Amino acid sequence: CQEEFERDPRRAPGLGGGLPRQQREKTMRAAFLRYTGHVKLIGHLFRVSLLSDNIIHSCVQDLFGDPSGPPDEEKTECLCAFLVAAGPKLETGCANSPLFGRLIKNYFKKLAAFAQ
């Protein structure tokens, strides 16, 4: 699961320059859907306490991407899917830990900045 998460879906096998545009887009879309599925799985694993807070924060930071560059639309979409999957546990964590709460508030501030 970690290997799939760390793999960039835009570098999926079969995306070489020899494919027709339509086939390349289809392959990219399939890779993106697979990546989104893995991100949702990570959120669900966190929700049932199979992953630690540290791992989750590392994943979220990776999904936010490079802070100096523009937001990556696909990773932001995956981040939103992750937050939906992990939401209930994230809310509980905010209530139980001030540090956790500050991190989550910062994540939502970044997402709000993306929306503008």
Side-chain angles (χ1 to χ4, degrees):
C1 193
Q2 179 179 353
E3 185 178 304
E4 284 292 325
F5 177 79
E6 291 173 350
R7 185 178 305 142
D8 187 343
R10 290 166 292 215
R11 292 191 175 94
L15 289 178
L19 290 176
R21 186 175 132 287
Q22 188 176 25
Q23 181 64 31
R24 193 170 48 249
E25 287 175 3
K26 184 178 177 183
T27 303
M28 284 179 66
R29 182 71 184 151
F32 175 70
L33 289 174
R34 189 171 45 253
Y35 185 79
T36 304
H38 282 98
V39 169
K40 287 180 184 178
L41 174 64
I42 290 168
H44 288 292
L45 290 173
F46 174 68
R47 226 165 80 182
V48 295
S49 300
L50 291 175
L51 295 175
S52 72
D53 294 348
N54 292 339
I55 291 171
I56 293 310
H57 290 296
S58 175
C59 291
V60 169
Q61 290 169 0
D62 183 63
L63 290 170
F64 270 115
D66 180 11
S68 63
D72 181 318
E73 186 177 322
E74 291 175 345
K75 285 206 171 192
T76 303
E77 187 176 333
C78 287
L79 175 63
C80 291
F82 167 79
L83 291 172
V84 167
K89 176 95 183 237
L90 290 172
E91 287 182 34
T92 303
C94 288
N96 295 335
S97 165
L99 173 63
F100 195 81
R102 282 193 303 272
L103 288 170
I104 298 301
K105 284 180 184 178
N106 285 337
Y107 297 153
F108 282 101
K109 283 181 186 177
K110 285 182 184 179
L111 284 173
F114 285 175
Q116 294 178 2

